[in-house]
Amino acid sequence: MESSQLLFFLSALGAFNGFILSVYFAINAQKKIFANYFLSLLLLVLSIRIVKSVFFYFNPALSNIFIQIGLSACILIGPFLFLSLKPNLDAQKHNWIKHIVPYLAVITILGILYPYTKYRVIWSLGIVNAIYLQWLVYILLSFRYIFPMIQKIKRKESLKKIEVWFLSIYLGVAFIWLAYATVPYTSYIVGALSFTFVLYLIILLLIFRNSDESVFFQEKEKYKNKEMDIEMQRIIGQKFAVIIEKELYLNPDFSLEEASKELKITKHLLSQYVNEILGKSFSNLIKEYRIEKAKKLLKTEKNFTLESLGYDSGFSSKSTFFTAFKKTTGLTPAEYQKAHSE
């Protein structure tokens, strides 16, 4: 009995907090970009689906209307995931209509013509399977917005906090889909428990990652109304030269945080200077310095192996060095050395 109550508490807790976060994000999204509304709606429809699962599992005599609403909510999970991850949606605000309205119309018509009360078999074998298939299709469509983040991980580049958030949301929704898709082989309550687990894992992940960046929402303008004056630019520029003079970038673990400590500048100001004044991200700028160092070594050194040369230029691995060098110069290190050997 106690284990059953604990199971109910854990599964219902995720749904409840999902509703709370949905409202919270919707309110805060008023000052954010348009796509963030769909993040709020994604949590809402997921929570509706989870509530239905929880109460149906513990009360099979649940009203059929409530079951129909819970199942119908699933048809919007995929589109809301896609729209919350889609870049540049702010400039294409009407594009969401084709991803939402047709599905709402179809599920409404099906609900009227084939109510769950009278057509349980049709829902169980046809409509629900179609909804899960549509959900999967949108997960696959959304992958293209996640793929660049996965590539960054493969290159051992650090992700922005907003990228960590998006990747977590994507993987969480995919995991919940998998939990429901495998219900015939597991238990009906697994989907609800998965939602609770994923929700709290994402929240904890973000709470314990201190950052000056926005976590839950992507700001339209990161440094809006905080323009850097000329004197501050001059001071930071002078200090920034130390990175090149001391070749601090040769440390493979050299980061924005390390640079701010070395130069005695706040991470926020240093990031703003690099982004606004130099027009680059900090990681890309450091990569450029390392490539220039590698080019000098390739021209002058004969006894280096290409792998050791990459390490001596500040790269953490051979693959990272080769990939970055080819992308920047259009040549492999060996081709560059052959073309520029003295």
Side-chain angles (χ1 to χ4, degrees), residues 77-140:
I77 294 175
F80 285 153
L81 171 68
F82 178 82
L83 292 169
S84 64
L85 296 176
K86 184 177 174 62
N88 304 319
L89 187 64
D90 219 38
Q92 306 167 347
K93 289 187 177 180
H94 297 295
N95 279 1
W96 66 270
I97 296 176
K98 64 183 180 183
H99 293 284
I100 302 298
V101 174
Y103 296 121
L104 274 178
V106 168
I107 200 66
T108 301
I109 294 171
L110 286 175
I112 294 173
L113 296 179
Y114 303 98
Y116 184 84
T117 309
K118 298 180 179 179
Y119 299 93
R120 293 188 183 185
V121 175
I122 291 179
W123 276 82
S124 299
L125 300 180
I127 297 176
V128 171
N129 288 334
I131 289 174
Y132 283 162
L133 178 60
Q134 178 250 24
W135 184 353
L136 176 61
V137 168
Y138 270 98
I139 288 175
L140 297 176

Side-chain angles (χ1 to χ4, degrees), residues 1-8:
M1 183 65 178
E2 290 182 357
S3 61
S4 179
Q5 290 176 341
L6 179 61
L7 192 62
F8 176 80

Side-chain angles (χ1 to χ4, degrees), residues 112-324:
I112 294 173
L113 296 179
Y114 303 98
Y116 184 84
T117 309
K118 298 180 179 179
Y119 299 93
R120 293 188 183 185
V121 175
I122 291 179
W123 276 82
S124 299
L125 300 180
I127 297 176
V128 171
N129 288 334
I131 289 174
Y132 283 162
L133 178 60
Q134 178 250 24
W135 184 353
L136 176 61
V137 168
Y138 270 98
I139 288 175
L140 297 176
L141 288 175
S142 302
F143 183 74
R144 60 176 162 171
Y145 304 133
I146 299 300
F147 185 71
M149 303 172 200
I150 296 175
Q151 291 295 96
K152 289 180 71 173
I153 294 174
K154 286 184 177 179
R155 295 194 299 266
K156 298 183 179 179
E157 297 178 8
S158 59
L159 295 178
K160 297 178 181 178
K161 301 305 180 292
I162 190 64
E163 291 176 328
V164 174
W165 170 246
F166 284 157
L167 186 59
S168 301
I169 288 291
Y170 177 83
L171 293 177
V173 171
F175 182 72
I176 293 167
W177 174 87
L178 182 63
Y180 277 117
T182 56
V183 160
Y185 312 102
T186 55
S187 172
Y188 194 75
I189 200 63
V190 169
L193 291 174
S194 300
F195 179 70
T196 301
F197 171 76
V198 168
L199 186 65
Y200 278 94
L201 186 64
I202 293 173
I203 291 173
L204 288 173
L205 174 68
L206 295 170
I207 286 176
F208 289 105
R209 287 176 67 99
N210 295 325
S211 171
D212 294 330
E213 295 181 35
S214 172
V215 172
F216 292 115
F217 299 103
Q218 185 179 11
E219 299 285 354
K220 280 186 178 180
E221 298 178 47
K222 187 176 179 182
Y223 306 111
K224 188 177 180 180
N225 299 324
K226 295 182 181 178
E227 293 183 2
M228 186 177 290
D229 59 48
I230 301 299
E231 180 61 19
M232 181 59 70
Q233 293 179 31
R234 185 186 65 79
I235 293 172
I236 296 179
Q238 289 177 345
K239 290 187 174 184
F240 199 83
V242 173
I243 294 178
I244 301 175
E245 292 170 4
K246 293 186 177 182
E247 294 189 324
L248 300 177
Y249 54 85
L250 296 182
N251 175 7
D253 298 320
F254 189 63
S255 62
L256 180 64
E257 185 173 1
E258 291 293 324
S260 67
K261 290 178 181 177
E262 178 71 28
L263 305 181
K264 295 179 174 58
I265 305 172
T266 65
K267 283 170 51 179
H268 177 79
L269 277 177
L270 184 57
S271 177
Q272 183 177 1
Y273 176 82
V274 174
N275 279 270
E276 288 189 350
I277 308 305
L278 302 183
K280 302 170 182 177
S281 69
F282 183 82
S283 61
N284 284 338
L285 182 64
I286 296 303
K287 189 186 298 180
E288 288 181 10
Y289 291 157
R290 291 169 177 164
I291 293 294
E292 288 303 314
K293 178 68 175 181
K295 287 162 69 174
K296 290 179 182 178
L297 293 176
L298 285 168
K299 290 179 181 178
T300 59
E301 300 293 336
K302 305 299 182 183
N303 298 322
F304 275 60
T305 65
L306 294 179
E307 185 173 358
S308 63
L309 188 143
Y311 290 129
D312 288 343
S313 302
F315 289 95
S316 58
S317 70
K318 177 182 176 181
S319 60
T320 303
F321 169 51
F322 276 47
T323 300

